[in-house]
Amino acid sequence: MARGFSRQQIGVTGAMIDSYGDLIFQLSHNMQTRRGDPIRTLDFEGIEASRDELGMSDGQIAARVGLSEPQVMYIRNMMERRNFNSRHYHRLLELGGGKRFREERFTDHTERFHYHDDAIALREAMAFAPDRARHYSEQGWWADDTLSGWLARHVSQRPEAAAIIQGDLVINYADLGDRVDRLAGGLHGLGLGQGDVIAVQLPNIAEYLISYLAIARLGGVMTTLYMPHREREFETLLTHSRARALICLSDAGGFPAAETALGLKLPKLQSVIAIGPVASAVPGAVAFEDLANGTASANKLNLPLPVAADPFLLLYTSGTTASPKAVPHNSHTMLGNARLGAGEHLLTADDVILSAPPFGHLFALYSFHLALYTGAANLLLATFTPPDLARVVEDGRATALFTAPAHMAACLGMGLFDKHDWSSLSLAVLSGSAVPGDMARAVAVKMPNCAMTQLWGMTETQGGLYCRPGDGIDIASRSAGRPAPGVEARISDEGELQVRGSMLFPSYFDNPGANEAAFTDDGWFRSGDLAARDAIGNIAITGRIKDIINRGGVKYNPREIEDLLDGHPDIAQSAIVPMPDDVLGERACCFAVATDKNLDLNQVCAYLLEKGIAKTKLPERLVLMDEMPMTPTRKIIKGRLVLPEI
Amino acid sequence: MEIDAEDAKKTILDYCLRKGALAAGVADLAALERIAPPGHRPSDLMPKIKSVISLGVGGQTQGAWSVPAKAMGYFGSTETRAYTIAYGAAFLIESRYQTPAIYCPPDMDNEKGPRVPLQSLKLHAEVAGIGARSLAGDILLHPEFGYMYFASIFTELELPPDQPMETNPCPAPSCVAMYRQIGRTPCQKFCPVQCLSGSIDEDGKQAEMHYDMAACAEMSQQYEAVPAMLSEAMAAEDAQGREDALFDPDNKMLWYKMSVGSGGLLAQCFECMRVCPIATKAPLADPIRRSIAKEGV
Ligand code: SF4
Ligand code: SF4
C-alpha cells in the first residue's frame, strides 16, 4: 500500500521494482553525496546541480525517472527492505566504551566460528533429564569445573609444584601450563577447534597428558585408542568418532601407527600428529615436537575457554560386547565426580599419584582428574610390567596407586613387594575387574601403612562406588564400598546394580539401540553387573548379568566357581561362559590357562565337587588356553572366548 | 499591535537560551523554501509561515562518550529537551505577540515511511547559522558547542533572519592531519558499517562527503528488522526455524524495544561522534567545561 493504494491500484509490478529499484534507491536520501558546502554558503546553483546526489525526495525522483510519486515511494520502501542488512546491528554490540571499530579487524558474524555438523551431533547426545540437571546443579555437584580452569589455578597458585614426573623429567605446573598453551595453539593452527574430536594413542607418557589438556583447552573432545589397537580398530573407532586428528607414536613397538592411520585415508581425519624420533620422517604426518615447540599460543590467540557443559571426552567402552559403544562426557559428569572424590580418597596437593593402567582407560584418567583437581603430582609409568611398576613406586615415592587387581596379583606372584620399597604408598585403589579377596588381603599385609580400597566404575560412570581409606581391608577385600558423592545405587530384583547421579554419561553417541538397553524407564543406568549390598551399605560386585548361565531354567552366576578355580593349584586364570545347547539351552564351558597342560575336565569337576559345588553348576567342557584375551585393566574379555570346533 | 521584529527576535531567542538551548537563530525562510523539496517546505506545513526559529540543546554529557555503543542510543533522548523549549517558545509567541506559532513536529512523514521526515530540522538549523554539515553524514557541528540536538518553531510572526555560519568547523585540523596520512578522517575510519567516505581539498576544506544512510540506519534503527524477522519466520522450514526467527535473543530484544518504545530503537550508533574532536572537545561541547565557563570557577 502507498497512500492507501494497493500495488495494483498504483500499477507497480515486480518487473518495475526490478527495473527501477536500484536507480530509485541510489537517487533517494539513502545514498547521499555532497560536493563542497553549497547549503551553508547558500549557493543555490550548486544546490540544484547536486540535488540528485544529495538525495532526492520521492516527488523529485518521480519527475526525474518518469514514474508516479506513489510508485516511487512504494518501490523505494521495497528496496529499503530488500537491501536491509539486519546483521549490521551486531557490530554495535561489540563497540564503544573504549573499543574502536577497525574494518580490517572485524569479521562478519556469518563468517565466524560455528560448530560443524559432527560436533553438533555429539553435543546433541549430551541430553540430561532436566530434573536431574537441576538437582545436580543445586547440590553443587555440577559446577564450573574444567581441566583448563583447574590447570590455570595451579599455574597461578603453585607454579613450581611438580605436575608430571616421568623418570628424570619433572614438569612443574607453570611449565605444564606453557606446554599446553603452545600445543593448543599449534593444534589450532592445524585448523582444529571447538567440538573437534581428536584421538590419542599413546603410552602413559607426559605427551599424553599434555595432549589431553591441550585438546581440552581448545574446546575439543579427546577419544582414546588403546596401545594394542591396530588398523581394524583404527578404522572403526576413528570413523565412528568422526575424529579430525590423531596423536600417536610414529613407531609403537614396531607398529607404524601414524603411517597406518594415514594409509586409511579417512575423509574426516585431517591431521595425524606423530611422536617419536622418526616422526618427521612419516610422510603426511605432523611432528608433535613442531607443534609443541611452536610459537602459537592459545591464550595469546584468545581462543575461547571451554565451559563445563562442553563434551570433552568420547570413550569407547572396554566392555566385552562386539560393537564398541561411544560414551561422551562433559566436565559436569567427569570433573564434578573427581572434585567430589578427591576428599573421599583423602588426596591432597602433596600426593604423588600413579596409574598402572593406561590413560586410554577412564580409571587411569580418573587418577589424573583427581591429581589435577588437587594439584598433586602425576607419576608416570609408560607401560605396565610388574617390575617397572615396583621400581616406579619406589623411585618416585608414589603416595597413591590406581591399579587393577591383576597388576597387584602379578606383583605379589613375583615377590615384588618384598624386593622393593612400597612404603611411600598411603592409598591403593583397585578397580577394573573383580578383586579376589585373598589377594587383596595378602597385598594389604605387604603394605601395612597403605589403605587398600576397591572402586567400581565404568566408562559410563567414572568413580561410581568406592571404599574409603578408613574402611579397612575387611570391607575393601569383599566390596567396592559405597556410592561416591552425587551417586545413587540400587540393586534390581534380578540382582543388577543400577546407578544414577551427577557422574553418569547422558547417552551413547550415535547408537540408539544401545541407549534403549542401557537405561531403565525411570532413568537409571543398568550396569550389567550383579551386586549385593551388606547390612552397612557396602556393595559387592558378584558377576555380570550376561555371564549368568541358564542351564535348563536353573540360573547361576559362574563367579563363585571362577573364584574357586582361581585357587586351583594348576590353574592361573579361568572364565566360565555359556555354550549353546539344543536340549538345555545353555551349558557351562570353562576356559582356563593351566600350568598343567594335561589338566582335564574330570579333575576340574572333582576339585569343584570337593569344594561343595552342586553338580548342576559344574562346567561341561574345558578349553585350555595359552593366554586369555584381556582388557587394559587386566579383565578377561569373555566375548572373545570362542569355542573351538570339537 | 505594533511589534518590533528585532526586539521580538531577541525576546524569543533569549527565552530559548534561558530555557537551556545552547544556540538559537532564525533561518531565512525564502532560502528554506528554495532548498527543501516540495512537500517538505515550511509552507507545506504552515501556509502563512513567516519565520523559522531553530534552537539546539547540548548533546551528550561528557561521561556518555565512554559508555559502550549498545547503550549510547539511550542518551539520545536529550532531544526531547529541545522539543520542550520549542514548545514553550511557540506558546510565548502566541501569548506575547498574538501570532500563530507551532513547534515543528520532528517526526517522520506518515505518507512516506520512516526514512523521510516531515521537515528537515537540520536544514533549518544550518540556514539559521547554528550548525554546519560535517563529513560525518552531514551531522551538524558547532565550533563552540560541538554536537547538538535541534528543534524548530514555525510562526506567522516575521523576524529578521540570521545567516548560515561563515566557516565550517569540520574537518578539525587534527582530522585533516589524519586524512593526509591515511586518507580517512576519524569519523570515516571508525564508522562500524563504513558508511562514510569523502575527501578534503588542498585548503583543508570538505571537498566531497559520501554517506550511505541506509547502512547507518541499519546499524541502529531497527524498524526494518521487525518485518524482516516476521517474514523469516513465515519462510522458516520447521518449528525450530520459526522459534529462532521470533524468539532468539536478538529478535526478542526487538519485541521488547517495540513494546516499551525504547530510545535504543531509534538512535545513532554515535561512533562517528565519539571520535569527532568537535563533537567531544569543542570549547563548550562538554557540559562540565561549559558550567565551569558559566560559573567562572
Ligand atoms: S551513526 Fe554510526 S553508522 Fe551512522 S555514520 Fe555515525 S558511525 Fe556510521
Ligand atoms: S571527525 Fe568530526 S571534525 Fe573530523 S571530519 Fe569527522 S565530522 Fe569532521
Side-chain angles (χ1 to χ4, degrees):
Chain A
M1 301 264 275
R3 301 181 125 177
F5 299 112
S6 69
R7 215 192 224 215
Q8 247 171 334
Q9 285 175 303
I10 57 174
V12 168
T13 59
M16 192 181 255
I17 299 174
D18 291 345
S19 306
Y20 300 106
D22 191 48
L23 173 63
I24 290 171
F25 189 79
Q26 292 296 327
L27 285 175
S28 73
H29 45 241
N30 279 295
M31 307 304 276
Q32 301 177 16
T33 292
R34 173 168 55 79
R35 295 178 203 280
D37 210 353
I39 300 175
R40 182 181 56 80
T41 52
L42 297 180
D43 167 10
F44 292 107
E45 245 173 64
I47 292 170
E48 290 313 320
S50 61
R51 224 180 245 291
D52 26 346
E53 285 190 319
L54 270 170
M56 298 162 85
S57 71
D58 295 335
Q60 291 167 324
I61 298 172
R64 169 77 188 281
V65 180
L67 296 167
S68 71
E69 188 175 343
Q71 286 174 336
V72 169
M73 204 187 308
Y74 186 93
I75 294 171
R76 175 177 56 77
N77 273 279
M78 281 305 135
M79 291 307 290
E80 285 168 359
R81 175 255 180 287
R82 287 187 190 178
N83 291 345
F84 183 75
N85 182 349
S86 58
R87 300 214 159 263
H88 272 171
Y89 181 68
H90 298 124
R91 301 177 184 223
L92 182 72
L93 304 177
E94 294 177 18
L95 291 173
K99 277 181 271 173
R100 294 284 172 270
F101 175 80
R102 296 268 199 293
E103 192 188 7
E104 65 278 11
R105 284 196 212 157
F106 187 82
T107 312
D108 194 88
H109 281 64
T110 51
E111 286 158 29
R112 293 192 194 183
F113 169 81
H114 60 273
Y115 290 98
H116 53 70
D117 291 348
D118 291 338
I120 289 291
L122 181 57
R123 294 173 81 82
E124 286 282 5
M126 307 303 291
F128 297 92
D131 63 325
R132 297 281 90 203
R134 201 180 75 201
H135 181 59
Y136 303 149
S137 184
E138 284 170 355
Q139 294 298 316
W141 298 334
W142 284 2
D144 62 348
D145 306 288
T146 58
L147 290 178
S148 301
W150 287 358
L151 177 60
R153 174 161 53 88
H154 300 308
V155 167
S156 78
Q157 291 176 3
R158 356 190 0 264
E160 300 300 329
I164 296 176
I165 303 166
Q166 180 183 328
D168 294 336
L169 172 71
V170 178
I171 299 174
N172 66 30
Y173 272 103
D175 191 12
L176 179 61
D178 182 50
R179 289 178 194 227
V180 168
D181 179 46
R182 272 183 291 142
L183 180 58
L187 294 172
H188 175 79
L190 292 178
L192 298 162
Q194 285 164 279
D196 285 333
V197 174
I198 301 176
V200 176
Q201 187 199 41
L202 293 174
N204 285 12
I205 55 178
E207 287 85 347
Y208 203 127
L209 299 180
I210 294 167
S211 298
Y212 181 30
L213 291 169
I215 294 165
R217 170 64 186 89
L218 203 60
V221 179
M222 181 173 81
T223 191
T224 60
L225 298 170
Y226 299 147
M227 289 310 290
H229 284 169
R230 293 295 179 262
E231 190 168 353
R232 201 174 69 85
E233 289 91 351
F234 271 34
E235 182 158 19
T236 309
L237 300 182
L238 293 174
T239 303
H240 186 270
S241 64
R242 284 79 157 160
R244 308 233 151 199
L246 166 68
I247 302 174
C248 61
L249 295 177
S250 50
D251 178 6
F255 168 59
E259 210 179 306
T260 302
L262 285 163
L264 289 169
K265 302 209 178 320
L266 299 173
K268 297 204 165 157
L269 193 69
Q270 299 165 9
S271 308
V272 172
I273 299 148
I275 297 177
V278 291
S280 52
V282 182
V286 180
F288 182 92
E289 281 300 293
D290 292 348
L291 293 184
N293 297 327
T295 51
S297 146
N299 293 336
K300 285 195 192 122
L301 286 165
N302 223 358
L303 299 186
L305 286 164
V307 296
D310 290 335
F312 77 111
L313 265 179
L314 184 66
L315 299 173
Y316 286 84
T317 58
S318 61
T320 48
T321 46
S323 67
K325 293 179 283 189
V327 178
H329 276 291
N330 63 13
S331 301
H332 283 323
T333 57
M334 286 287 90
L335 303 190
N337 177 250
R339 167 169 47 81
L340 296 166
E344 302 291 312
H345 299 298
L346 302 183
L347 292 169
T348 70
D350 297 332
D351 275 298
V352 177
I353 298 177
L354 169 62
S355 167
F359 287 130
H361 194 276
L362 184 54
F363 179 48
L365 286 182
Y366 179 53
S367 76
F368 174 62
H369 295 159
L370 291 166
L372 196 67
Y373 175 66
T374 54
N378 292 275
L379 177 63
L380 301 187
L381 165 65
T383 308
F384 168 80
T385 67
D388 284 339
L389 174 63
R391 186 182 45 74
V392 171
V393 168
E394 182 174 38
D395 294 350
R397 305 298 297 156
T399 62
L401 174 64
F402 287 71
T403 183
H407 295 143
M408 291 291 89
C411 291
L412 202 59
M414 293 171 76
L416 294 170
F417 287 102
D418 299 323
K419 292 181 196 152
H420 290 271
D421 179 6
W422 298 68
S423 65
S424 57
L425 285 175
S426 58
L427 174 71
V429 183
L430 273 62
S431 186
S433 63
V435 177
D438 290 347
M439 185 277 294
R441 278 186 289 275
V443 173
V445 168
K446 298 289 182 188
M447 299 193 294
N449 297 322
C450 175
M452 291 280 293
T453 63
Q454 231 190 95
L455 176 146
W456 173 89
M458 297 174 69
T459 308
E460 291 86 341
T461 69
Q462 197 172 243
L465 317 171
Y466 39 77
C467 306
R468 295 352 187 227
D471 283 352
I473 191 62
D474 186 39
I475 287 175
S477 62
R478 61 180 169 78
S479 85
R482 298 164 304 287
V487 179
E488 292 173 87
R490 72 183 185 190
I491 296 170
S492 73
D493 292 344
E494 293 77 38
E496 183 187 40
L497 172 67
Q498 297 177 347
V499 292
R500 69 173 182 181
S502 58
M503 78 313 171
L504 187 61
F505 83 122
S507 65
Y508 296 108
F509 172 55
D510 192 16
N511 197 339
N515 283 322
E516 230 165 79
F519 294 94
T520 63
D521 288 345
D522 57 350
W524 290 65
F525 175 63
R526 299 178 203 272
S527 71
D529 281 335
L530 294 166
R533 199 194 300 249
D534 70 13
I536 51 169
N538 292 302
I539 295 173
I541 307 299
T542 56
R544 292 284 294 164
I545 254 199
K546 65 174 179 266
D547 293 344
I548 282 188
I549 295 180
N550 184 347
R551 188 179 187 277
V554 179
K555 294 182 193 168
Y556 66 95
N557 179 355
R559 169 69 63 81
E560 59 171 325
I561 300 164
E562 290 164 347
D563 285 349
L564 287 173
L565 288 177
D566 286 346
H568 189 288
D570 296 329
I571 294 178
Q573 280 175 306
S574 67
I576 296 194
V577 297
M579 56 182 177
D581 184 82
D582 290 344
V583 181
L584 292 171
E586 281 179 3
R587 290 175 194 268
C589 172
C590 174
F591 286 79
V593 177
T595 44
D596 175 2
K597 300 293 171 207
N598 297 318
L599 185 74
D600 65 22
L601 183 64
N602 288 338
Q603 289 169 296
V604 170
C605 290
Y607 173 80
L608 289 172
L609 284 170
E610 197 181 296
K611 296 282 180 190
I613 291 296
K615 270 191 183 166
T616 49
K617 293 185 183 175
L618 291 179
E620 294 172 65
R621 192 172 162 192
L622 177 68
V623 178
L624 293 182
M625 311 275 290
D626 291 334
E627 59 179 352
M628 291 282 190
M630 305 286 280
T631 67
T633 48
R634 316 299 298 161
K635 186 160 66 174
I636 296 170
I637 307 172
K638 284 191 172 178
R640 292 224 199 121
L641 294 171
V642 182
L643 284 169
E645 295 288 333
I646 299 177
Chain B
M1 174 185 171
E2 256 321 281
I3 298 171
D4 179 332
E6 281 293 350
D7 192 52
K9 175 179 173 183
K10 187 172 179 312
T11 304
I12 297 164
L13 297 189
D14 277 354
Y15 170 87
C16 296
L17 297 177
R18 223 177 37 250
K19 291 291 175 186
L22 295 180
V26 177
D28 182 337
L29 181 65
L32 294 180
E33 291 282 312
R34 260 180 97 170
I35 300 168
H40 303 281
R41 292 168 177 154
S43 60
D44 293 326
L45 205 64
M46 194 181 204
K48 292 188 189 162
I49 187 166
K50 292 277 172 21
S51 302
V52 173
I53 302 152
S54 175
L55 63 95
V57 300
Q60 316 300 352
T61 59
Q62 191 59 20
W65 297 114
S66 61
V67 307
K70 65 180 179 181
M72 280 291 275
Y74 298 89
F75 292 83
S77 41
T78 36
E79 72 260 26
T80 54
R81 277 199 300 127
Y83 304 153
T84 310
I85 298 169
Y87 212 30
F91 268 107
L92 175 86
I93 293 168
E94 293 205 341
S95 58
R96 178 148 321 172
Y97 306 109
Q98 284 80 52
T99 315
I102 58 166
Y103 133 76
C104 174
D107 214 337
M108 298 295 127
D109 187 337
N110 281 333
E111 282 184 74
K112 312 226 165 118
R115 290 188 191 179
V116 181
L118 279 167
Q119 292 281 316
S120 169
L121 303 182
K122 173 161 66 184
L123 180 63
H124 305 158
E126 184 179 24
V127 175
I130 58 172
R133 287 174 195 246
S134 70
L135 287 173
D138 276 1
I139 286 176
L140 296 190
L141 292 175
H142 191 283
E144 276 178 272
F145 301 115
Y147 169 76
M148 289 187 285
Y149 289 94
F150 299 100
S152 301
I153 303 119
F154 288 1
T155 176
E156 293 176 10
L157 181 66
E158 192 160 353
L159 301 170
D162 290 303
Q163 289 303 303
M165 281 171 13
E166 240 169 61
T167 50
N168 192 330
C170 166
S174 60
C175 301
V176 177
M178 181 170 171
Y179 178 81
R180 301 270 183 255
Q181 275 191 337
I182 64 164
R184 289 199 285 179
T185 59
C187 53
Q188 291 168 351
K189 179 172 164 62
F190 292 107
C191 169
V193 287
Q194 294 293 285
C195 66
L196 303 174
S197 60
S199 55
I200 294 174
D201 67 17
E202 284 170 6
D203 301 329
K205 304 270 180 260
Q206 297 179 22
E208 279 176 37
M209 190 286 310
H210 305 290
Y211 174 43
D212 180 346
M213 191 199 80
C216 177
E218 286 156 16
M219 185 71 196
S220 46
Q221 308 213 351
Q222 294 270 289
Y223 44 81
E224 213 84 61
V226 176
M229 139 189 14
L230 289 171
S231 66
E232 263 176 39
M234 284 191 286
E237 276 179 13
D238 52 22
Q240 192 188 319
R242 279 189 292 282
E243 193 175 30
D244 281 353
L246 295 174
F247 295 109
D248 94 1
D250 284 345
N251 292 343
K252 204 166 148 185
M253 190 64 198
L254 280 177
W255 297 119
Y256 162 78
K257 284 179 175 178
M258 278 177 66
S259 66
V260 301
S262 160
L265 196 59
L266 288 170
Q268 293 176 268
C269 85
F270 289 109
E271 291 306 289
C272 49
M273 290 295 99
R274 193 199 291 273
V275 294
C276 172
I278 297 171
T280 57
K281 297 195 179 67
L284 300 175
D286 164 357
I288 299 172
R289 289 165 67 188
R290 211 158 53 225
S291 85
I292 292 171
K294 209 164 158 187
E295 309 290 329
V297 183

